[in-house]
Amino acid sequence: MNVLELFRLEGKTALVTGCKRGIGKAMALALAEAGADIIGVSASLELSGSQVEQEVTALGRQFQAYACDFADRRALYAFIAQVKADFPVIDILVNNAGTILRKPAVEHPDEYWDHIIEVNLNAQFVLSREIGKEMVARGRGKIIFTASLLSFQGGITVPGYAAAKGGIAQLTKALSNEWAGKGVQVNALAPGYVRTDNTQALQDDPARSQAILDRIPAGRWGEPDDFKGPVLFLASDASNFVTGELLTVDGGWMGR
């Protein structure tokens, strides 16, 4: 087989959470460019006519939109029931949905902590379990989490986010340990500092922004399109012997 054939996704269906903008949108488009049809879900995703839908369908792929607030457990279960009814076979799950709330630890309220853990960790487990069990039964599937540099480091003023992303790193390994022998590869991408809504506060702080830039060996902030190649690798047959891994996409930050 030609090596490029390993990256083709024709006939596959990918569920991408948090796909409306930023890294999630870029990953959805990458999978569509490789041939996959896309199921998209975000808290505020338009049910028709969204920008991501327009770009996916322009590639000749199908796109089905759902809106779900992952902080609402009942809404999450309702979404899962509906998407599984609509799409009995989901080949690829990209767990990208997430949020961030900033406040120093001594001022970090329960409401911030609970919200972040629910959206960024609890919902990711529930969705992976419910979609993953079908992959395990079929003996084939790909699950990709969006982790973070804060899966390795503690960060500043984001204790809930750091705790959740640390949990994602361990969840990736835990699921991989159980499912690798059943044909399901579970991996994570760990973004560095990327120009998205989540990092806008850092981008707008001249001192923090420059300090971050000074530490990145690549000499620039990341862009959402930097995740197209990595997500395609982890979603395709090219990574069939890669599982339980956290792939940093950080311009060299973690090697510094």
Side-chain angles (χ1 to χ4, degrees), residues 12 23 28 38 43-44 46 51 57 73 77 92 94 102 126 139-140 142 174 176 181-182 231 236 241 250 254:
K12 304 290 187 182
I23 293 171
I38 305 298
S44 60
E46 301 91 335
Q51 185 63 38
T57 55
R73 189 70 65 91
Y77 274 111
I92 301 159
V94 180
R102 300 176 185 276
V126 171
R140 184 175 180 83
K142 301 279 186 174
S176 175
K182 299 176 181 178
V231 77
S236 70
F241 201 57
D250 64 355
M254 287 300 296

Side-chain angles (χ1 to χ4, degrees), residues 15 39 41 47 64-68 74-90 127 130-131:
L15 169 55
I39 306 164
V41 59
L47 296 183
Q64 178 63 52
Y66 298 86
C68 180
R74 289 186 179 182
L76 174 61
Y77 274 111
F79 161 68
I80 291 169
Q82 187 62 61
V83 78
K84 288 175 73 171
D86 294 343
F87 295 91
V89 177
I90 296 173
L127 187 57
E130 295 303 310
I131 301 299

Side-chain angles (χ1 to χ4, degrees), residues 8 20 22 53 70 73 91 120 122 132-133 148 150-151 171-172 198 224 232 245:
R8 299 178 69 91
K20 185 173 181 178
E53 177 180 359
F70 280 14
R73 189 70 65 91
D91 303 285
N120 290 13
N122 294 346
K133 67 174 63 174
S148 170
L150 299 196
S151 297
L171 180 58
T172 298
N198 273 3
L232 177 55
E245 292 296 324

Side-chain angles (χ1 to χ4, degrees), residues 103-225:
K103 196 172 280 287
V106 295
E107 304 169 11
H108 209 79
D110 289 359
E111 293 78 11
Y112 276 29
W113 177 274
D114 291 345
H115 182 78
I116 293 296
I117 295 297
E118 189 64 31
V119 173
N120 290 13
L121 184 58
N122 294 346
Q124 312 299 320
F125 170 68
V126 171
L127 187 57
S128 298
R129 182 190 64 207
E130 295 303 310
I131 301 299
K133 67 174 63 174
E134 307 299 337
M135 294 178 175
V136 168
R138 291 194 303 273
R140 184 175 180 83
K142 301 279 186 174
I143 297 177
I144 304 158
F145 289 98
T146 297
S148 170
L149 292 185
L150 299 196
S151 297
F152 310 97
Q153 303 174 323
I156 300 171
T157 74
V158 287
Y161 186 85
K165 291 302 184 177
I168 288 295
Q170 294 305 103
L171 180 58
T172 298
K173 297 172 187 178
L175 296 182
S176 175
N177 287 344
E178 293 193 33
W179 296 348
K182 299 176 181 178
V184 179
Q185 292 83 51
V186 185
N187 293 287
L189 293 172
Y193 287 91
V194 183
R195 294 189 187 279
T196 67
D197 292 349
N198 273 3
T199 62
Q200 193 61 55
L202 298 177
Q203 296 175 58
D204 292 343
D205 182 330
R208 285 293 308 280
S209 181
Q210 189 60 50
I212 288 167
L213 189 61
D214 288 344
R215 181 175 161 166
I216 301 173
R220 66 174 177 86
W221 282 64
E223 301 292 342
D225 279 358

